[in-house]
Amino acid sequence: MLNALIKKTVKNVSLAVGLTMLVAASPSYAQGNFPNKPIRLIVPFTPGGVTDTSGRLIADQLSKRIGQQVIVENKPGATGNIGSALVANSEPDGYTLVYGFDGTMVVNPHIAASMPFDPIKDFTPIGKIGETVLILVSYPKFEAQTLKEIIALSKQPGKSVTFGSSGIGSPQHVGIELLNQKTGAKLVHVPYKGGGQAMIDVQGGNIPLVFTAVAGAYPHIQAGRIKAVAVSSEKRAPSLPDVPTFIESGVPDFVVSGWVAMFAPAKTPKAVVTYLNKELNAVLSTPDVITRLEKMGITPTPWTPEKFAAEVKADYERYGKVIKEAGIKAN
């Protein structure tokens, strides 16, 4: 009788232990305790740029909210492809994320000879950090002063009106090719290895136009070293209220903006994605973070993962058409 009771008790204890281990190993258990260790945020660019600086701000603020460290790791190379591929191939548990931008996710796939990942299939969007407003600027003494005059001048026989960007296939390059396609303009691209030298050259009159981020151009506009022509956002930039949009300048529906965002590997559990999105949006809604991001030229956008996923897909398709028609290929 006693032996039977002992055997029954041992059996029940074994069953309880087994169930506990099963629950601990299950995704639902992991999600309920997420996060229980530090999170890696891969920034696929070198330290010091706006992507890196804004990524570190978000990581620091997110760490304070979730009670675990969000550690930034820079993995540069191939215009973001190397670091992004690392995340695409990571365990989809929410502990390895990538700080992505539109150039890597929706432009690179259309110009690179080969891609180590599929931006639509291999990632789950956590949320959009924000948008960067782009602006067309000119050498102050350039003969065409307005966007309308610039477009008209570029169409004249024998005229070659050039514009600089941060490189072949950059969002800025693709944006002006979209302008060419929409208006029949014949602006000729001059690629630079980064936007810094392009900005120097437009100030010296070596190149008449540059399409770049407002944040980098703003101090030079204020100092009178370059002239602001038009911003490519839907509404005027708060920092440059007197500068018209491309739409106001006569190009209907022309809205081109850069974005930065947070992605996880595909198949990351929905509960983890929802949790991270909620905490990320809380960070993006704090006055201090809003102010600091805006100083970097980023307008915070606390969206849902679904809304942002739709934008990623739409941008991927839109830029793909522009790139194909313009014949843009990576070097």
Side-chain angles (χ1 to χ4, degrees):
M1 184 82 176
L2 181 60
N3 286 339
L5 181 60
I6 290 172
K7 285 180 180 180
K8 185 176 181 181
T9 302
V10 170
K11 183 178 180 182
N12 288 341
V13 169
S14 298
L15 180 61
V17 171
L19 286 171
T20 300
M21 292 176 67
L22 180 62
V23 169
S26 71
S28 60
Y29 182 88
Q31 291 164 28
N33 287 271
F34 181 87
N36 55 27
K37 63 180 181 180
I39 293 173
R40 300 167 69 202
L41 178 60
I42 305 301
V43 174
F45 299 97
T46 54
V50 172
T51 306
D52 175 68
T53 306
S54 60
R56 290 179 184 277
L57 169 63
I58 296 301
D60 177 62
Q61 297 299 311
L62 199 55
S63 297
K64 294 175 182 176
R65 284 198 60 87
I66 67 176
Q68 288 287 349
Q69 273 192 301
V70 179
I71 302 168
V72 172
E73 295 182 19
N74 295 92
K75 301 288 184 182
T79 59
N81 284 358
I82 291 175
S84 300
L86 184 155
V87 176
N89 294 311
S90 296
E91 189 70 24
D93 55 9
Y95 289 101
T96 305
L97 311 173
V98 66
Y99 199 75
F101 97 117
D102 55 337
T104 301
M105 295 295 184
V106 300
V107 174
N108 281 7
H110 300 291
I111 66 171
S114 63
M115 284 289 289
F117 58 84
D118 183 310
I120 306 299
K121 296 179 181 179
D122 294 340
F123 293 96
T124 296
I126 296 298
K128 185 175 180 180
I129 308 297
E131 294 184 344
T132 56
V133 179
L134 302 177
I135 185 169
L136 183 66
V137 298
S138 69
Y139 176 57
K141 297 179 181 179
F142 184 50
E143 58 185 294
Q145 292 291 301
T146 66
L147 181 63
K148 189 174 181 179
E149 291 174 354
I150 289 168
I151 292 171
L153 182 65
S154 75
K155 294 178 181 180
Q156 291 183 16
K159 286 287 185 180
S160 178
V161 180
T162 57
F163 73 95
S165 83
S166 56
I168 293 175
S170 64
Q172 295 89 343
H173 175 199
V174 177
I176 295 298
E177 293 296 352
L178 176 61
L179 179 69
N180 281 342
Q181 292 170 17
K182 275 182 167 290
T183 65
K186 299 184 184 300
L187 299 173
V188 179
H189 184 226
V190 177
Y192 285 80
K193 293 182 178 179
Q197 187 58 51
M199 191 59 62
I200 291 172
D201 278 2
V202 75
Q203 291 175 60
N206 297 322
I207 190 169
L209 303 167
V210 169
F211 194 40
T212 187
V214 165
Y218 182 80
H220 304 295
I221 294 169
Q222 294 298 98
R225 292 188 287 269
I226 54 176
K227 181 181 184 298
V229 177
V231 292
S232 61
S233 48
E234 187 174 359
K235 298 179 180 179
R236 295 191 179 197
S239 59
L240 295 168
D242 296 329
V243 180
T245 64
F246 277 71
I247 296 171
E248 291 175 311
S249 302
V251 186
D253 301 322
F254 188 87
V255 177
V256 177
S257 61
W259 48 254
V260 286
M262 191 177 289
F263 295 84
K267 299 182 181 180
T268 298
K270 184 172 177 57
V272 171
V273 172
T274 300
Y275 171 81
L276 287 171
N277 175 260
K278 175 175 170 288
E279 297 302 326
L280 173 62
N281 286 348
V283 167
L284 294 174
S285 299
T286 58
D288 178 58
V289 171
I290 292 171
T291 300
R292 291 169 71 180
L293 284 175
E294 286 180 343
K295 285 182 179 178
M296 298 178 199
I298 299 172
T299 302
T301 49
W303 286 7
T304 64
E306 294 76 16
K307 182 177 180 180
F308 179 52
E311 182 182 44
V312 173
K313 187 176 181 181
D315 282 353
Y316 180 86
E317 293 172 353
R318 178 170 67 137
Y319 289 132
K321 291 177 181 177
V322 175
I323 291 166
K324 183 177 181 180
E325 187 173 328
I328 300 172
K329 296 291 182 183
N331 285 337

